[in-house]
Amino acid sequence: MILLLTRILSKVALAVMVGLLAGCQGGVLDPKGQVGIEEKQLIIVATLLMLLVVIPVIFMTLYFAWKYREGRDEIYEPKWSHSTKIETIVWAIPIVIVIILGVITWKSTHALDPYKPLKSDKDHINVQVVSMNWKWLFIYPDLGIASVNELRFPANVPVAFQISSEGTMNSFFIPQLGSQIYSMAGMVTKLHLIANEPGTFDGISANYSGAGFTGMKFNAIATPTEADFDAWVEGVKAGTHDVINNGILDQAAYEKLAEHDLDEHHIEPTPVQYYNSIVSSIFMDNVMKFMKDHGKVELLKGTVFDSKMIHDNSSHGEMNHGEMNHSDMNHDESQNSSHDMHTEAEK
């Protein structure tokens, strides 16, 4: 009876797993990049380790319900309360599993750090990403071009992303390549990914951000060769692609793109479009506009404060220092006054 029940349950579980996995095409369980592959392995290992506890518990629940069903002549021991063997098994196995999971988590957290550049004999392609309501802007600072709702890069070449937001917080995620990370206004997060084979992968926002959230999708296209990618770049610069070809991505064009006119009855995703040139500092200028000293900082290949700003801050710092000394003097005078008052009260 038990053997028959076990066989039935195993067949049901297998059928359920096959059915579930059949719908995983294009998701995290169908990885096409090294990061995604390692994350899939981590998910499988962690799941199997936890099933070492879950499966026996499910089996024993069914077994005990059958064994001690009404009508069975089993010994009734209402005062039985302790078994060293059972306590050892119940506590030891979960403790060992938790320790193993802890070690795996520690190692994988460092190995899969999204800020950590990927090891490769090829240079990373730099892409700056801005999430807008409700579209994605991709800027290629080294190539001088930009695209909307389409991301391209060569297969087998690592990509270094810098990610920010024009307003609402979103989450940049290409499931088949792995590692989603948030985009936030006034901040820059980083992510490193690679595609191990050419193809078109779905890109999404994994964080709900308003009425147009459903249209916030893009295609991440890994070209078969670097030559194909270079040809695409040249086509963007020449404006020969069969999409909306814009001119330069300057601040005026950026602000116009960031606008959203949403029809509450009909929401259409923003079509793919290209910019054949960019202002080199457009990404960091719009990150820094949320900061107090926006306009006083030059942001090209890093953060460099101009001499005027440093001079102004130094003068301001000296004034604050003087004010602090004056405050200290007032504090000392207050303490002396309090001491005198206390002495008079004692008298």
Side-chain angles (χ1 to χ4, degrees):
M1 181 66 180
I2 297 176
L3 183 60
L4 179 61
L5 181 62
T6 303
R7 288 179 178 176
I8 294 174
L9 289 175
S10 63
K11 291 180 179 179
V12 172
L14 180 60
V16 171
M17 288 295 292
V18 170
L20 292 174
L21 291 174
C24 291
Q25 185 176 2
V28 293
L29 295 182
D30 182 27
K32 301 299 181 182
Q34 185 58 39
V35 176
I37 291 172
E38 293 183 20
E39 289 181 347
K40 176 185 176 181
Q41 293 173 348
L42 178 61
I43 292 172
I44 292 174
V45 170
T47 302
L48 291 176
L49 285 172
M50 289 184 284
L51 286 177
L52 292 178
V53 173
V54 174
I55 290 178
V57 169
I58 294 175
F59 173 77
M60 287 188 292
T61 300
L62 297 174
Y63 173 72
F64 290 150
W66 173 80
K67 180 177 177 62
Y68 295 102
R69 67 189 187 277
E70 185 179 2
R72 295 279 294 178
D73 295 329
E74 296 293 339
I75 300 175
Y76 178 59
E77 297 182 282
K79 295 184 179 181
W80 179 86
S81 62
H82 179 75
S83 170
T84 302
K85 292 181 180 179
I86 293 177
E87 291 290 339
T88 301
I89 294 172
V90 167
W91 284 101
I93 294 178
I95 288 173
V96 170
I97 292 175
V98 168
I99 292 173
I100 295 173
L101 284 173
V103 172
I104 292 174
T105 302
W106 175 268
K107 291 183 177 180
S108 61
T109 298
H110 291 280
L112 297 173
D113 181 2
Y115 279 53
K116 184 179 178 181
L118 300 175
K119 293 181 179 179
S120 176
D121 56 352
K122 299 179 180 178
D123 293 333
H124 285 68
I125 291 178
N126 295 311
V127 180
Q128 295 167 334
V129 183
V130 182
S131 62
M132 297 180 172
N133 291 346
W134 285 269
K135 61 186 78 73
W136 293 96
L137 171 64
F138 301 101
I139 302 170
Y140 296 78
D142 301 330
L143 303 174
I145 62 172
S147 62
V148 177
N149 281 351
E150 183 180 276
L151 171 66
R152 286 189 187 242
F153 48 86
N156 299 307
V157 175
V159 184
F161 295 98
Q162 288 181 297
I163 304 168
S164 188
S165 174
E166 177 58 23
T168 308
M169 183 174 72
N170 276 280
S171 180
F172 179 77
F173 190 26
I174 306 174
Q176 288 184 278
L177 301 185
S179 293
Q180 68 88 20
I181 196 164
Y182 287 102
S183 63
M184 292 167 280
M187 297 181 63
V188 177
T189 52
K190 297 180 181 180
L191 177 64
H192 293 82
L193 296 175
I194 189 172
N196 290 358
E197 60 184 72
T200 300
F201 314 115
D202 294 331
I204 61 173
S205 171
N207 189 75
Y208 180 72
S209 57
F213 169 76
T214 54
M216 201 164 180
K217 301 175 182 179
F218 63 92
N219 286 330
I221 303 172
T223 61
T225 65
E226 293 183 57
D228 294 327
F229 176 72
D230 293 337
W232 174 78
V233 172
E234 292 303 319
V236 172
K237 292 181 177 180
T240 57
H241 293 294
D242 189 21
V243 298
I244 300 174
N245 290 280
N246 299 313
I248 183 172
L249 179 64
D250 54 14
Q251 189 58 34
Y254 180 94
E255 291 175 358
K256 182 178 180 180
L257 179 65
E259 295 176 356
H260 58 277
D261 184 14
L262 208 59
D263 183 349
E264 61 181 1
H265 300 293
H266 187 67
I267 301 172
E268 287 290 342
T270 302
V272 174
Q273 50 192 290
Y274 299 148
Y275 291 88
N276 58 25
S277 62
I278 63 171
V279 173
S280 59
S281 61
I282 190 69
F283 177 76
M284 288 305 299
D285 280 347
N286 284 281
V287 171
M288 292 301 295
K289 72 183 179 184
F290 296 97
M291 305 302 176
K292 175 184 175 183
D293 293 313
H294 173 61
K296 295 183 179 180
V297 184
E298 180 186 0
L299 294 160
L300 297 177
K301 292 186 178 180
T303 303
V304 180
F305 293 88
D306 58 21
S307 58
K308 182 178 182 299
M309 182 178 177
I310 295 175
H311 176 72
D312 292 344
N313 286 345
S314 298
S315 300
H316 183 66
E318 290 175 0
M319 182 178 65
N320 287 342
H321 181 67
E323 291 175 354
M324 181 183 67
N325 290 338
H326 179 67
S327 175
D328 290 342
M329 290 173 62
N330 290 340
H331 179 67
D332 292 339
E333 290 175 359
S334 176
Q335 283 187 332
N336 292 335
S337 177
S338 299
H339 177 70
D340 294 341
M341 292 175 64
H342 182 68
T343 302
E344 289 295 331
E346 288 179 348
K347 288 181 180 180

